[in-house]
Amino acid sequence: MQDKRNTVLAERVAWRWVRLHTALTLGFLIAPILAIIPLSFNAGSYFSYPMTGFSMRWYAQALTSPDWQRALLNSLGIGAASTLIATCLGTLAALGLSRSQFPLRSVVMPVIISPMIVPIVVVAAGFYLIFAPLGLVNSYAGVVLAHAALGTPFVVITVTASLLSFDQSLLRAASGLGATPWVTFRRVTLPLITPAVATGSVFAFATSFDEVIVILFIGGPDQKTVPRQMWSGIRDAIDPSILAVATMLIVFAVLLFASINWLRARAAAASRALG
């Protein structure tokens, strides 16, 4: 009886310690982000506490400033175009890499995901060296292609993971019923991997929207995005509207994360339905 009580007490202590450790870890990770949100409502023009009052002036300035509006439109346009390219290329690459008979798969896969592994400064310098002779530096086309290359690995990873757990008997059944490869892909494969494709697309868009190093290397004044505008606001002159934009980006990131979780839950439900 005493041993059972000791076991229960030890479990309670361990559980409380896990909860405390988790709370401290989350606090350490989230505190720097949460500290920005109240300062975005500061009436003063300082990046520090204590606040001098409550005001929405920095939100109004960020939303009405031509520079911020142009940066937002650039980020959305570049992000949408690069996401479309990354989604198409990543899905096609995943379809090939998921096949066991694909030649040199162990070599091709690391090459495709190398932008996620290699330091982004090295990747940006490589883009500049390749794009400069082609006239793609300081152009929307160059930025879109670079961001597409950065987002493609996310699509490849998510779609490949979905295809590896895919029931190949469905493809054989479709082929046995006389369906062509295109019809099989459109009517069988694509509907089942759509949640994974959408998840990869969200990651690709977030990567493009958040990227700053590559845009500094190959982007010009006309291609200034939100992260680059924030960088300029910190480097050239302290602009408190950066805090308002940062808060809106935090909300945007939370919504993206929520959409990813929803897509994952939908994919899991589809897998259970098929199983």
Side-chain angles (χ1 to χ4, degrees):
M1 187 68 178
Q2 185 65 29
D3 292 341
K4 184 177 180 180
R5 290 179 179 177
N6 292 337
T7 301
V8 172
L9 179 61
E11 290 177 352
R12 290 180 179 177
V13 172
W15 174 242
R16 290 179 180 178
W17 165 248
V18 169
R19 294 179 65 181
L20 177 61
H21 183 267
T22 302
L24 291 175
T25 302
L26 291 176
F28 176 77
L29 296 174
I30 298 176
I33 299 175
L34 296 181
I36 295 175
I37 298 177
L39 285 176
S40 66
F41 299 98
N42 188 14
S45 57
Y46 301 100
F47 279 53
S48 61
Y49 291 96
M51 297 172 56
T52 59
F54 181 88
S55 175
M56 297 289 291
R57 58 183 293 197
W58 306 123
Y59 286 90
Q61 179 174 317
L63 294 174
T64 58
S65 170
D67 292 335
W68 284 111
Q69 291 177 354
R70 183 175 184 179
L72 178 60
L73 291 176
N74 281 338
S75 289
L76 293 175
I78 293 171
S82 62
T83 298
L84 179 61
I85 296 174
T87 301
C88 295
L89 295 179
T91 302
L92 292 174
L95 289 171
L97 291 170
S98 63
R99 298 177 180 273
S100 58
Q101 66 270 25
F102 186 86
L104 301 177
R105 182 174 58 174
S106 60
V107 176
V108 175
M109 188 65 170
V111 172
I112 291 178
I113 66 173
S114 60
M116 300 175 60
I117 304 172
V118 178
I120 190 63
V121 174
V122 178
V123 176
F127 280 136
Y128 180 83
L129 293 175
I130 294 175
F131 287 176
L134 300 176
L136 293 176
V137 174
N138 298 339
S139 68
Y140 283 102
V143 176
V144 168
L145 291 175
H147 283 193
L150 295 177
T152 298
F154 293 95
V155 181
V156 171
I157 291 175
T158 56
V159 178
T160 300
S162 177
L163 289 170
L164 290 177
S165 60
F166 189 81
D167 188 1
Q168 298 296 325
S169 62
L170 296 175
L171 303 182
R172 291 191 294 269
S175 177
L177 293 174
T180 63
W182 168 246
V183 172
T184 301
F185 171 76
R186 184 169 57 88
R187 302 290 294 272
V188 179
T189 305
L190 185 59
L192 294 176
I193 65 172
T194 294
V197 173
T199 300
S201 300
V202 172
F203 277 116
F205 182 83
T207 300
S208 173
F209 198 90
D210 186 57
E211 201 286 318
V212 64
I213 303 299
V214 171
I215 199 71
L216 290 174
F217 271 78
I218 64 175
D222 292 337
Q223 294 82 42
K224 184 174 289 187
T225 59
V226 171
R228 183 171 180 177
Q229 180 67 25
M230 295 177 70
W231 172 263
S232 299
I234 294 175
R235 185 190 62 179
D236 300 336
I238 300 300
D239 183 5
S241 60
I242 294 175
L243 299 176
V245 176
T247 301
M248 290 186 284
L249 289 180
I250 291 172
V251 175
F252 178 69
V254 170
L255 293 177
L256 279 180
F257 183 76
S259 66
I260 291 172
N261 282 340
W262 178 78
L263 290 170
R264 287 177 176 174
R266 184 177 176 182
S271 283
R272 288 194 298 269
L274 290 174

